[in-house]
Every structure is written in structure tokens, then in C-alpha cells.
Amino acid sequence: MSCRVLATMEFCLPCFLAFLLMGGVLARRNGGDASFYQNYDITWGYDHVKSLDGGRQIQLSLDNASGAGFGSKLSFGSGFINMRIKLPGKDSAGVVTAFYLTSHSNNHDELDFEFLGNREGKPITLQTNVFANGQGNREQRMHLWFDPAADFHSYKILWNQYQIVFYVDDTPIRVFKNHKNIGVSYPSQPMQIEASLWNGDSWATDGGQTKINWSHAPFQAHFQGFDINGCSDHREPNAPPCYSTSYWWNTRKYRTLDAAQQRAYENVRKKYLTYDYCSDRVRHPTPPPECPQ
């Protein structure tokens, strides 16, 4: 970890010692207020990116010329990754806002939040997906219980060697367990954190039938929360491996949902889930092995 990242941490001796023991991993238990430029870079659409509040908020814009995206400077082997996002308002049909982890490799691993815009007054769909060893097609879709364009909300991905959990604020909405013991690939490659705003009207809304209304452009998505709780693949040589319980997101507490989380998970899926690949008998006449049997 660079000195500029360490500088965002509230200094105390125990924190500093923990930092040294963990080999400089980007790991912060309670989050902070890092500037975007400390941990992230713009990756495309440079003239469609605007920095606000001293780099503590980033605005991506989409028009009929370009969208935009950014990515973390480092890749990570485990972590509890969080981003606060406010989606484009107005009529956002065909517009896709994405927040995800990806390995940028052959047979890649990827963990996706994709927000699929809609006509004004119709619900935005949140789609999640899991790729492991190049295999995806694990889409789940749901409507949210709030307007994600009205204010910022936290979207989180817990990734350790036991499970992957997608959260909306503090509510778990999807769990993908490590089932390597029955032959199911599990994401294990270092992944970069990315976010983007782009034209997805070939598929995103009503299967691509509803196109972007460019008279409402530019569409704007806003991002906050650029601290990273993750085990970097560029840590010091003597640092613990990314599956070590030295990192809090690998400890026993994060191996399964607790009782309250399990109830919230079951409730939100019962009320808001609109599609689950596990239940799609057209695509999967026999349920994939990781799905509940």
C-alpha cells in the first residue's frame, strides 16, 4: 500500500502495527473518506468523468458519443468491497450502471452488480451474476424496495473462501457458496474493482425492445466510498495469504449468514426476486449443481 493510501487512515499505534503485520494490505475495518484518486483510475470515457467534493464523489456521464468507467489501481484476492451509488434519474431505459469485480484473464472470474434502467415510473432491475473459470450464465434479477436513483445506497460484495454475498445496504440479496467439493468452479483469481455507465439498449430493457431516449442525455451516475477493504495481490512478501483469518472478512463471522441475515435474505428474495437461473428450466432442464435441489 502506498503512503498516500496510508495517509487516509486515522493514525493510532494499533492500527499502524496491524498495517505492518498485514504487509500493507488495503484493509480498513470501518471505512473512511479516501479520495477517488488514491485507490482508483479512470479507465475510459475520460471526458465523461467529473470529480466532485475533492475527489470524494465521481460522476460518470453517458450520451450518444460515449459512456465512462473507472477501476481500482490494484487487484484483490479476497475482501468486503463496498461502493455507494446513485443511479441516473429521468427515463433511463437502456442505460446500464455496473459495479463489479473482474480478473481480466482467460477463463475469467467476475462478480457483477448491473442496474438495468427503465422508462420513468417503471422499476429499475438489479441483475447480479457470478463467473468462475470463465463460466457465467448465473443471472439473478430483482426489483429494489426503494428508488435507487433518488439517493445513494451501498452495494457490497463479500468474497472469501467460504462464500460470496451480495448486499444492498445491509441486506444480503444473493449468496454463492463455495461448492468446489462437488465440482463447481469458485472465483479464486485476483480481481480488479470496476464501475461503468454504458449503452446497453441492445438487451437491458425488455430484452432490448426499449431503446435509450437520447433526448434525456446526458445520463449521470454518481459514486462515493473509495476506501477498499481487500487483500491486495501486491502486498508485501511476508504478508499472510488472502485466505488468512488475519483479514477480518475471512473470520468465522463471515463464513455463513447469521440468523437475522438469513431471515432478511429469505424475505427480500420472496418479495423482490423476479428471475433466478436456478429455476429456469428452459435454460437448465437439470438445475446446476450449486442450486438448491
Side-chain angles (χ1 to χ4, degrees):
M1 180 159 66
S2 67
C3 292
R4 63 180 182 273
V5 173
L6 180 59
T8 68
M9 301 175 68
E10 298 85 3
F11 183 80
C12 67
L13 182 58
C15 297
F16 183 66
L17 291 174
F19 169 79
L20 293 177
L21 289 170
M22 296 178 73
V25 65
L26 269 80
R28 300 185 57 190
R29 185 64 177 84
N30 297 312
D33 197 24
S35 166
F36 169 85
Y37 298 101
Q38 292 169 319
N39 295 333
Y40 289 89
D41 288 319
I42 300 166
T43 53
W44 64 283
Y46 295 85
D47 59 347
H48 286 62
V49 180
K50 184 177 181 180
S51 175
L52 305 169
D53 189 24
R56 287 171 176 77
Q57 182 177 155
I58 290 293
Q59 173 187 286
L60 301 184
S61 295
L62 169 68
D63 56 29
N64 56 8
S66 181
F70 62 84
S72 59
K73 296 180 179 182
L74 301 176
S75 294
F76 300 89
S78 67
F80 201 160
I81 310 302
N82 177 38
M83 188 71 68
R84 289 176 50 78
I85 307 172
K86 181 180 177 182
L87 300 185
K90 304 180 186 176
D91 179 347
S92 63
V95 176
V96 177
T97 308
F99 165 53
Y100 57 103
L101 279 66
T102 185
S103 65
H104 292 294
S105 59
N106 295 329
N107 298 322
H108 77 296
D109 294 344
E110 187 168 304
L111 307 174
D112 295 328
F113 275 110
E114 293 179 306
F115 302 88
L116 314 182
N118 212 337
R119 290 284 182 241
E120 192 163 5
K122 292 187 176 182
I124 290 171
T125 294
L126 169 56
Q127 175 172 283
T128 59
N129 204 352
V130 174
F131 287 77
N133 195 30
Q135 179 187 348
N137 298 319
R138 295 185 173 101
E139 298 91 347
Q140 293 184 0
R141 300 186 194 111
M142 68 190 316
H143 294 151
L144 294 168
W145 50 97
F146 54 85
D147 178 2
D151 204 350
F152 286 93
H153 289 268
S154 291
Y155 303 94
K156 308 172 186 177
I157 301 173
L158 168 66
W159 171 38
N160 59 33
Q161 66 269 39
Y162 304 100
Q163 63 176 351
I164 293 160
V165 185
F166 294 78
Y167 293 83
V168 173
D169 293 322
D170 293 320
T171 301
I173 63 161
R174 179 171 186 171
V175 178
F176 187 83
K177 288 285 190 179
N178 187 340
H179 286 304
K180 281 187 174 181
N181 61 319
I182 57 171
V184 178
S185 295
Y186 189 78
S188 58
Q189 302 173 64
M191 291 190 279
Q192 185 181 19
I193 306 163
E194 298 199 10
S196 59
L197 180 66
W198 51 283
N199 177 355
D201 73 0
S202 64
W203 65 277
T205 308
D206 303 323
Q209 298 179 65
T210 303
K211 303 299 185 181
I212 292 177
N213 182 347
W214 292 111
S215 69
H216 292 301
F219 302 94
Q220 297 173 339
H222 294 83
F223 300 81
Q224 296 175 338
F226 302 116
D227 295 283
I228 299 174
N229 290 308
C231 173
S232 167
D233 63 343
H234 285 79
R235 64 198 183 282
E236 296 298 322
N238 61 343
C242 285
Y243 57 79
S244 169
T245 54
S246 297
Y247 311 116
W248 57 264
W249 53 84
N250 292 331
T251 57
R252 184 172 297 277
K253 176 180 177 180
Y254 298 95
R255 297 181 185 181
T256 60
L257 300 183
D258 64 28
Q261 290 173 327
Q262 185 67 33
R263 287 193 298 271
Y265 171 68
E266 293 172 358
N267 181 62
V268 77
R269 289 174 65 83
K270 180 180 179 180
K271 289 184 177 180
Y272 302 107
L273 190 70
T274 61
Y275 174 83
D276 184 353
Y277 78 104
C278 285
S279 304
D280 190 336
R281 292 297 171 264
V282 175
R283 291 174 65 191
H284 304 289
T286 301
E290 70 270 18
C291 295
Q293 303 297 314

